[in-house]
Amino acid sequence: MNYFPDEVIEHVFDFVTSHKDRHSISLVCKSWFKIERYSRQNVFIGNCYAINPERLLRRFPCFKSLTLKGKPHFADFNLVPHGWGGFVQPWIEALARSRVGLEELRLKRMVVTDESLELLSRSFVNFKSLVLVSCEGFSTDGLASIASNCRHLQDLDLQENEIDDHRGQWLSCFPETYTSLVTLNFACLEGETNLVALERLVARSPNLRSLKLNRAVPLDALARLMACAPQIVDLGVGSYEDEQDSESCLKLQAAIRKCTSLRSLSGFLEAAPHCLSAFHPVCHNLTSLNLSYAAEIHGSHLIKLIEHCKKLQRIGDKGLEVVASTCKELQELRVFPTDLQGGGNTAVTEDGLVAISAGCPKLHSILYFCQQMTNAALITVAKNCPNFIRFRLCILEPHKPDHVTSQPLDEGFGAIVQACKNLKRLSVSGLLTDQVFLYIGMYATELEMLSIAFAGDTDKGMLYVLNGCKKMRKLEIRDSPFGDAALLADVNKYETMRSLWMSSCEVTLGGCKRLARKAPWLNVEIINENDNNRMEENGYEGRQKVDKLYLYRTVVGTRVDAPPFVWIL
Amino acid sequence: MSPEEELQSNVSVASSTRNIVGVLKEHNYLGLSDCSSVGSSNLSGLADDDKATISLKATELTLGLPGSQSPARDTELNSLGPAKLDEKLFFPLLPSKDEICPSSQKNIASGNKRGFADTMDKVPVYTEKNWMFPEAVVATQSVIKKEVAQNIPKGKLSTTNNSSSPPAAKAQIVGWPPVRSYRKNTLATTCKNSDEVDGKPGSGPLFVKVSMDGAPYLRKVDLRSYTNYGELSAALEKMFTTFTLGQCGTSGATGKDVRNETKLKDLLNGKDYVLTYEDKDGDWMLVGDFSWEIFIGVCKKLKIMKGCDAIGLAAAPAPRAMEKSKMRA
């Protein structure tokens, strides 16, 4: 079968980088399996409990980059209690004991401690890149260890983590000899920042491409930083208050003008909007604009800013018609609600979505929060943009029907899944019956992730999805009337999926137990925060409804680090 | 019913409703030829801008529910029993279903959930519905709407931590809307700053962590969903009651005046616990010294400490050593 020596095959494999493709390669024959194993550089583990570090190391002894994901997605919305799991410590310990030359660690929704970060910083000589997304459990002391010990660090990217800010001097822990910084993102830190240390660090980092500052970095500091780093590509502005000091503003404008490589802008956590004009000279080069935290920028300032941004590909903001008319290259859009209680004058409605779909034909990813929606609008959107890969629509009020016809939104979403043949991720909302799930099962053949909330009538809904969507990986359902019949209908389906989350549905403890018996290769977790003991004592426990169910396939059996409120069947 | 009998009835169903199965085959929904694309060839017509073509195609494809075809088919299908029919037509290829099918069908037909048969009887005509003219189905859809309303799980409004939210606002549902609390908090802080300038009160939620000595896990509460200390204490009481030894009635505390700091202290002191908070400077203080409005402006974290541990806190900032030991506890 192999006409080439292993080295040649390995060289060919080097060009294959996607995880799916490498997985396919490894299935071809034993020889390819072996070659692929030893040459695999990047390992992606979507559920840290599906496998353990020992097996990872046995299969891939030479990897350099590891991506780990911990808690289920709904943990973002406070549905998973604190302490559920997702600890990175055992992984780092195991990797440190082995000889693996770890260079990159990317974690999402995991619990990271200062101890873990310290161990990480001391164990891997060539460690280059640390990316933490939505993690928690550590403080700036942990960052200090990373800064002090990782001589070759290039990326320190902290996205939306909950970090205990001890207002220490972690920035000054980078040695004076350290000059290899490429990415620095500490926007999520709440406390003060040592501006002097920051400026010196930026000044001695000629390779710095991405810099995202936190709230504590004011305008004049920003001006000095940008003067030191004109090569910057991605900038997150921290605090942009209107300083009466016009000299600072002039310096900033001058510095910005020199940043001809700037392509991406974000932040503006505290911003005086009329200062945005300083950025107008570079707007025409911007391909990404994230103003989702810039609550104070609205109206005319936003419009002026966007009008300058002809090349935008990614955007997260609130001024939609302007976006539609200006940003023809737009590929990704996220519209967040400013008034989370619903209502308010600046309501986002279906009109905005239709305008965007008409004006931005290259749009493939959208996250859209709005007050109301209609089937007609969704049908129009589906016709305008058949290229959606991710379509996430959240109508703020649960069960809200089409506000013109009072019908469920089944037809609208049906049009979306029918037209968008490459749809990989979908979130539905509003008033929905089983019919929408029939459409999803019939048409959404590429769908990998589906989020359902307050939708459906009977088990049929869930069954349509489980039977129809062959590529489903993550299914998360809350507050919908699906029960044991749907859960148990096709147990083997769950082996093809990464995980299933069901909360506030009609699933009973008896049903979950039956499922766990039928499928020993699944971890069936019941998360029960309240009344820890009631589930066992009650004589009718079989019919007791389960508040939160999280099940996932695993090759390493029941996890040992589950807290008392998690019951693994 | 044994699997063989089921299979035979399946075959008879298939032959008598050949048109339906045939159409389904074309569109490959059942995966009979193990092809993942769903009716790709037949759907190419949808790319046309011809509305009539779209609606016609759509009609064909939405045959999804048996009995939803022309009336002629209704009688054939209904005579065989809708529940079983549905299962067989749509999910014939699931090998593991054979053992589960009978029970699941029973559940669907006669369980406490609204059976599929019920749906069919009341909503026969799905084909009339097409993409462009939703009003044609007003009559049937309104029936669905009513039934949907009945089926809304009770959990919708009861799964909330903030049970003592102000009555004027809508009941807060946990984790809804699905915005990360990190983002909610950040926007809330930013909004608060700008709103203060405009003169309006901040309206975003303000989540803070609440921990308790001896409790295995933290909770989060939205401070803006309460209007006074009494409401906060009642909510915390409910949340942490599992962990406290004694019970103390909350009826006295709720619904009282704004400045109820003493009531709050009494309540928690009765169980030998005090409520403390970490302010913006990182100092731990006893709750209750400031007015409610000021308090929510400065509070970053809450902690329910044992009374004896909190001695010396009073209104003065706690020494750092004590604070660290509390955090490690």
Side-chain angles (χ1 to χ4, degrees), chain A residues 460 462-470 485-486 488-494 496, chain B residues 3 6-7 10 29-32 86-102 104:
Chain A
K460 290 273 165 240
M462 187 167 159
L463 282 171
Y464 292 144
V465 170
L466 288 176
N467 288 316
C469 299
K470 301 292 175 207
L488 292 164
D490 181 8
V491 165
N492 291 325
K493 172 74 177 176
Y494 304 126
T496 67
Chain B
E6 280 180 342
L7 200 56
N10 187 13
Y29 168 59
L30 298 177
L32 289 168
D86 173 66
E87 293 295 318
K88 286 309 160 200
L89 267 188
F90 280 85
F91 318 119
L93 291 190
L94 300 170
S96 61
K97 262 186 78 60
D98 282 342
E99 41 167 335
I100 300 171
C101 255
S104 63

Side-chain angles (χ1 to χ4, degrees), chain A residues 237-257:
Chain A
V237 174
S239 180
Y240 201 77
E241 310 253 15
D242 177 23
E243 308 258 326
Q244 295 306 329
D245 180 4
S246 56
E247 194 188 336
S248 278
C249 269
L250 284 175
K251 279 197 187 142
L252 180 64
Q253 286 186 22
I256 289 174
R257 232 172 239 117

Side-chain angles (χ1 to χ4, degrees), chain B residues 272-293:
Chain B
D272 199 32
Y273 286 97
V274 286
L275 184 60
T276 62
Y277 71 99
E278 185 184 20
D279 68 7
K280 286 199 153 117
D281 300 324
D283 303 317
W284 287 89
M285 324 267 274
L286 277 181
V287 162
D289 296 317
F290 298 117
S291 73
W292 177 255
E293 288 73 25

Side-chain angles (χ1 to χ4, degrees), chain A residues 76-79 81-83 108-109 133-134 136 160-162 164 166-167 187-188 190 215 268-270 292-296 334 336-342 369 379 383 394-399 401 405-408 410-411 414-415 418 421 429 431-433 435 438-439 441-443 445-446 453-454 456-460 463-464 467-468 478-485 488-492 504 506 514 518 529-532 547 564-565, chain B residues 24 29 36-38 40 43 46 49 51 54 57-58 61-65 83 86-87 90-91 94 96-97 99-100 104 107-108 112-116 119 126 129-132 134-135 137-138 141-142 144-145 147-148 151-153 155-156 159 161 169-170 172-187 189-191 193-194 198 203-205 207 209 216-220 222 239 242-243 278 280-282 300-301 320 324 327:
Chain A
D76 284 350
F77 316 128
N78 291 337
L79 289 180
H82 187 90
K108 187 165 185 179
R109 283 188 213 106
V133 181
S134 299
E136 53 159 353
E160 300 188 348
N161 302 292
E162 287 193 24
D164 215 354
H166 290 163
R167 281 172 272 136
C188 58
E190 295 284 313
R215 219 179 268 276
F268 296 98
L269 302 169
E270 304 197 0
S292 52
Y293 289 103
E296 291 163 50
R334 294 179 177 214
F336 289 101
T338 42
D339 183 0
L340 293 167
Q341 306 288 348
F369 285 83
I379 290 165
K383 268 180 39 180
C394 179
I395 301 165
L396 290 170
E397 187 188 321
H399 301 291
T405 64
S406 299
Q407 302 309 312
D410 301 335
E411 296 307 306
Q418 191 181 45
K421 310 237 185 296
S429 57
L431 182 65
L432 295 166
T433 71
Q435 183 73 0
L438 175 63
Y439 292 143
M442 282 173 78
Y443 297 115
T445 52
E446 300 298 309
F454 305 103
D457 304 320
T458 71
D459 287 336
K460 290 273 165 240
L463 282 171
Y464 292 144
N467 288 316
R478 63 166 292 179
D479 295 279
S480 301
F482 306 133
D484 296 339
L488 292 164
D490 181 8
V491 165
N492 291 325
S504 305
E506 302 287 317
R514 281 213 306 278
K518 281 188 198 298
E529 296 174 77
N530 312 310
D531 304 321
N532 283 333
D547 189 38
F565 55 84
Chain B
L24 281 175
Y29 168 59
S36 59
S37 67
V38 178
S40 45
L43 287 177
L46 285 167
D49 280 338
K51 283 186 181 181
I54 291 173
K57 288 285 179 201
L61 293 165
T62 53
L63 59 81
L65 306 170
D86 173 66
E87 293 295 318
F90 280 85
F91 318 119
L94 300 170
S96 61
K97 262 186 78 60
E99 41 167 335
I100 300 171
S104 63
N107 283 347
I108 289 171
N112 48 4
K113 301 179 194 54
R114 185 165 57 96
F116 193 65
T119 329
Y126 268 7
K129 174 181 15 173
N130 54 48
W131 302 123
M132 299 302 152
E135 49 268 26
V137 281
V138 167
Q141 292 282 20
S142 60
I144 295 176
K145 192 179 159 197
E147 287 167 341
V148 166
N151 262 338
I152 292 172
K156 173 195 164 194
T159 52
N161 283 336
K170 285 182 217 164
Q172 287 206 354
I173 305 171
V174 173
W176 193 264
V179 177
R180 285 191 194 169
S181 43
Y182 174 83
R183 185 177 294 278
K184 273 185 190 167
N185 275 357
T186 312
L187 279 177
T189 321
T190 328
C191 271
N193 293 341
S194 68
D198 294 348
S203 60
F207 285 95
K209 283 186 184 170
Y217 49 85
L218 305 182
R219 302 299 292 261
K220 276 190 185 164
D222 173 11
M239 259 182 236
T242 336
F243 310 117
E278 185 184 20
K280 286 199 153 117
D281 300 324
K300 289 254 134 203
K301 270 188 209 171
R320 291 259 164 218
K324 279 215 170 108
M327 287 169 70

Side-chain angles (χ1 to χ4, degrees), chain A residues 13 76 190 267 351-352 374 376 380 391 455 498 502 507 543:
Chain A
F13 287 179
D76 284 350
E190 295 284 313
D351 295 332
T374 64
T380 308
F391 187 85
R498 186 189 299 171
M502 290 180 77
V507 174
R543 280 187 244 146

